[in-house]
Amino acid sequence: MTTRTPLMAGNWKMNLNHLEAIAQVQKLAFAMNDKDYAAVEVAVLAPFTDLRSVQTVIEGDKLKIKFGAQDLSPHDSGAYTGDISGAMLAKLNCAYVTVGHSERREYHGETDELCNAKVKAAFKHGLTPILCIGEGLDVRKAGNQVAYTLAQLDGGLKDVPAEQAETIVIAYEPVWAIGTGEVATPEDAQEVCGAIRGRLAELYSQELADKVRIQYGGSVKSGNVAAIMAQPDVDGALVGGAALDPEEFVKIVRFRDQ
Ligand SMILES: O=C(CO)COP(=O)(O)O
């Protein structure tokens, strides 16, 4: 049985300018200790304009917080006005990048095909993609959440080789639970996270599936994180709103104490 280190990642979305980002990282660093870092991997996913400042604070003070971006271009460079490449993120020592967050799928029309290209671009540049998948309310009401989410997984991983796939992070984020306060029950989270691991075993191998970390995201707070983390196939949380409050985020990192 593989032991997977939980990954607690704060997705700041379009919040915190670079000065606020510096303060946020310092508050997190001040509140966390070696015991926390030994038990859980902690990451912040910041807006592009914050990344240089976040990198400077983390590397300057040798903090154990990982950092990353919220999107990347599928291209390496060129005439793509407004886009940011994986090479640029890698140059800033980003560890992670989210791909296919539901807000990108919804507001920027990102398809599984594009997400697949972005996953490949992330790996090409040595970044770990956090591939976000999850169903909307209509799909959930129709009871099709597993099939829908697994189709997104298949699309995102198309032609991704095993040696890359074994390091990916998958975030199951039911869209109806994002920013709504409507958290999925631990059983809802387990149903789909377990199915994701099952599909990874079919696509690759059980050994690979046992290594991949699967996060839950959607209205995670200190009050509900422990029950979600108690599920066997949930290996972390992708936290939106609650990650903007450093005290609350640290409580989430310390889910075992809640
Ligand atoms: O989208 C999310 C993280 O990526 C979840 O957001 P909330 O935690 O605000 O619901």
Side-chain angles (χ1 to χ4, degrees):
M1 176 67 199
T2 322
T3 43
R4 298 179 291 266
T5 304
L7 173 61
M8 292 303 182
N11 174 9
W12 293 353
K13 307 193 179 185
M14 196 174 71
N15 295 292
L16 306 179
N17 63 38
H18 74 286
L19 298 173
E20 294 164 336
I22 291 168
Q24 182 87 355
V25 170
Q26 286 171 333
K27 284 178 196 162
L28 291 179
F30 187 71
M32 286 189 300
N33 55 45
D34 282 348
K35 209 171 138 230
D36 295 322
Y37 296 119
V40 174
E41 194 179 340
V42 181
V44 296
L45 305 165
F48 290 134
T49 51
D50 294 359
L51 287 172
R52 179 60 166 165
S53 305
V54 167
Q55 178 206 18
T56 302
V57 175
I58 288 178
E59 292 182 359
D61 283 338
K62 298 190 171 59
L63 305 179
K64 291 178 183 159
I65 300 170
K66 305 277 177 64
F67 62 96
Q70 300 169 12
D71 184 37
L72 81 168
S73 169
H75 306 288
D76 291 345
S77 64
Y80 301 101
T81 302
D83 287 349
I84 300 291
S85 72
M88 292 168 172
L89 299 178
K91 195 75 181 162
L92 286 168
N93 288 344
C94 285
Y96 292 103
V97 59
T98 49
V99 171
H101 190 280
S102 65
E103 288 147 18
R104 305 264 347 144
R105 293 178 191 259
E106 183 177 352
Y107 306 134
H108 297 269
E110 294 198 5
T111 60
D112 287 330
E113 198 181 16
L114 179 62
C115 294
N116 180 237
K118 291 186 175 192
V119 164
K120 289 172 181 164
F123 279 127
K124 179 175 179 184
H125 295 288
L127 306 163
T128 298
I130 301 176
L131 175 64
C132 304
I133 53 181
E135 82 288 350
L137 191 56
D138 293 358
V139 174
R140 163 72 50 174
K141 280 188 173 157
N144 292 332
Q145 62 273 11
V146 170
Y148 183 94
T149 304
L150 294 186
Q152 288 183 325
L153 181 70
D154 291 350
L157 286 176
K158 190 164 183 286
D159 300 326
V160 173
E163 57 273 22
Q164 293 182 339
E166 73 175 17
T167 66
I168 201 169
V169 177
I170 305 294
Y172 169 56
E173 299 207 302
V175 180
W176 49 270
I178 295 179
T180 58
E182 189 80 31
V183 65
T185 65
E187 293 74 26
D188 290 338
Q190 172 56 28
E191 179 196 31
V192 183
C193 291
I196 290 170
R197 197 173 312 284
R199 177 69 114 226
L200 289 169
E202 280 167 25
L203 292 173
Y204 298 97
S205 67
Q206 188 63 51
E207 195 193 352
L208 182 146
D210 285 339
K211 284 186 191 162
V212 172
R213 288 180 295 180
I214 303 173
Q215 296 177 304
Y216 168 80
S219 298
V220 171
K221 297 185 178 55
S222 59
N224 56 33
V225 65
I228 291 168
M229 288 302 293
Q231 300 301 310
D233 288 303
V234 179
D235 308 312
L238 189 53
V239 186
L244 298 174
D245 174 346
E247 280 180 31
E248 177 68 4
F249 188 63
V250 172
K251 282 189 194 164
I252 291 170
V253 168
R254 294 184 180 144
F255 66 93
R256 289 183 180 85
D257 301 341
Q258 305 305 316

